[in-house]
Amino acid sequence: QKAAQNLKPVVPIKFFISSRTDTGVHALCNSAHFDIQRAPGKPAFSEKDLLYSLNYHLRTEPIRILNVYRVANSFHARHSALSRTYIYRLLMGCTHYSQIPVFERDLCWAPAGGSLNVPAMQDAAQFLLGTHDFSTFRSLNSETHLRSPVRTILQVDIRPCPGFLSHHYEHRRLEFWELKFRGRSFLYRQVRRMVGALVAVGQGKLTPWHIKELLEIKDPRAFPANSMAPPSGLFLKSVEY
C-alpha cells in the first residue's frame, strides 16, 4: 500500500489480498485487487505502467509484482477465487538440523529421524480428499466460532522435487519431497496440521487409518501434540480464478 501511494492516487489505496499466511510462510504467487483513481485530466494507468511503477517502489522489499490485469468491478481477489494451491517442502536424509543445506534454511522442513515411509503417507493422504469437517485439523483462534469447519480438498499429491543446487551435493543423499494441497479455501493452519499428521504417519507414529479417525473426531484438541508442521516449508503456490 505504501508503494501504491507513491503513484499519487486521488483516493488512498487499499489492497484486498486473496489469502493470508502465517508468519514464516512463503508465497510463490499471491493475488490482490485494488482501485486506483488519478487526478482529473490524467490518463488511467496502463497495466504495464502499474507493473513497473509498483516494482520500482518495492525494489528494497522481498516482493515483486508479476502481472497486472484490469478487471470488472465485480471481481474480488478473495471471494472470486475458485481454488488455492499450497505446497509443502520436506527434506529427508538429515539426522540433525545442522545438515540442512544453508541455501534451504527456512525454506523446508527436515523432520527428525531422517527417512519417512512415503507410501504410507500417500495412503493416508487419500482420506483427506473430498468434503469433510476438518475441525481436528484447524488451530483455534478468534475467528473459529465464525467459520464453518467444512472444507473440500480437491487434490493431495506427494512427489519428489528438486532442491536448490542439489545436483552439486548429490553425494549427501538428501531427498526433497513436495506435498501439494488444492482446495477452494483452508482453515487456520489447516495445511500445516495436515502435513504434520502425514509426517507422523511417515514416521510410524500414526497409521493411515488414524487420519480418518482424526477427521471423524472433529475436535482440535484431539490433534496429536507437537505435530503441526513448522511454517518455513509452506508456500502458497497459486490462486486460481
Side-chain angles (χ1 to χ4, degrees):
Q1 291 188 168
K2 289 180 181 178
Q5 286 307 124
N6 287 310
L7 304 180
K8 296 181 172 54
V10 174
V11 179
I13 288 175
K14 181 178 180 181
F15 280 82
F16 296 86
I17 311 296
S18 70
S19 299
R20 296 175 296 175
T21 56
D22 297 338
T23 300
V25 175
H26 315 283
L28 296 171
C29 186
N30 204 341
S31 60
H33 81 267
F34 67 95
D35 297 314
I36 183 167
Q37 182 179 344
R38 300 197 76 182
K42 290 194 174 184
F45 282 109
S46 70
E47 288 95 331
K48 185 178 290 187
D49 287 339
L50 284 173
L51 178 71
Y52 292 150
S53 298
L54 287 172
N55 279 330
Y56 175 79
H57 294 294
L58 288 167
R59 61 191 183 281
T60 61
E61 301 294 333
I63 181 174
R64 291 295 177 268
I65 308 301
L66 303 178
N67 291 293
V68 175
Y69 303 99
R70 191 178 303 279
V71 293
N73 287 336
S74 59
F75 177 85
H76 193 287
R78 180 180 177 189
H79 303 307
S80 299
L82 299 177
S83 63
R84 294 162 174 82
T85 301
Y86 285 87
I87 60 171
Y88 197 100
R89 298 180 70 241
L90 292 175
L91 172 57
M92 302 181 199
C94 293
T95 56
H96 190 266
Y97 71 88
S98 63
Q99 296 176 338
I100 300 174
V102 66
F103 296 111
E104 292 284 356
R105 189 176 61 186
D106 299 327
L107 297 173
C108 63
W109 176 29
S115 62
L116 296 172
N117 184 343
V118 175
M121 294 169 63
Q122 291 169 328
D123 289 342
Q126 299 309 302
F127 289 115
L128 298 172
L129 285 170
T131 302
H132 307 282
D133 182 323
F134 280 96
S135 290
T136 306
F137 289 89
R138 72 170 169 183
S139 294
L140 299 175
N141 68 359
S142 60
E143 297 181 3
T144 298
H145 68 286
L146 300 174
R147 305 186 69 187
S148 167
V150 177
R151 291 292 185 272
T152 300
I153 303 297
L154 302 169
Q155 179 183 12
V156 183
D157 286 329
I158 304 176
R159 297 178 180 176
C161 70
F164 182 68
L165 295 175
S166 58
H167 56 287
H168 288 295
Y169 48 85
E170 292 176 336
H171 62 283
R172 295 186 59 186
R173 301 184 184 280
L174 300 178
E175 293 183 15
F176 289 88
W177 289 77
E178 198 170 87
L179 285 72
K180 177 195 253 184
F181 301 88
R182 183 167 64 89
R184 190 174 188 279
S185 62
F186 295 87
L187 299 167
Y188 180 51
R189 293 180 174 173
Q190 179 185 347
V191 176
R192 289 172 58 193
R193 283 192 162 216
M194 291 190 297
V195 170
L198 292 176
V199 166
V201 170
Q203 294 171 324
K205 297 177 181 177
L206 299 176
T207 67
W209 194 255
H210 278 129
I211 301 301
K212 185 175 186 295
E213 292 180 346
L214 287 172
L215 281 170
E216 293 172 347
I217 292 172
K218 303 175 184 177
D219 185 350
R221 294 166 297 184
F223 189 78
N226 303 314
S227 293
M228 183 168 65
S232 55
L234 182 58
F235 297 75
L236 173 62
K237 180 180 184 295
S238 58
V239 183
E240 295 81 37
Y241 294 96

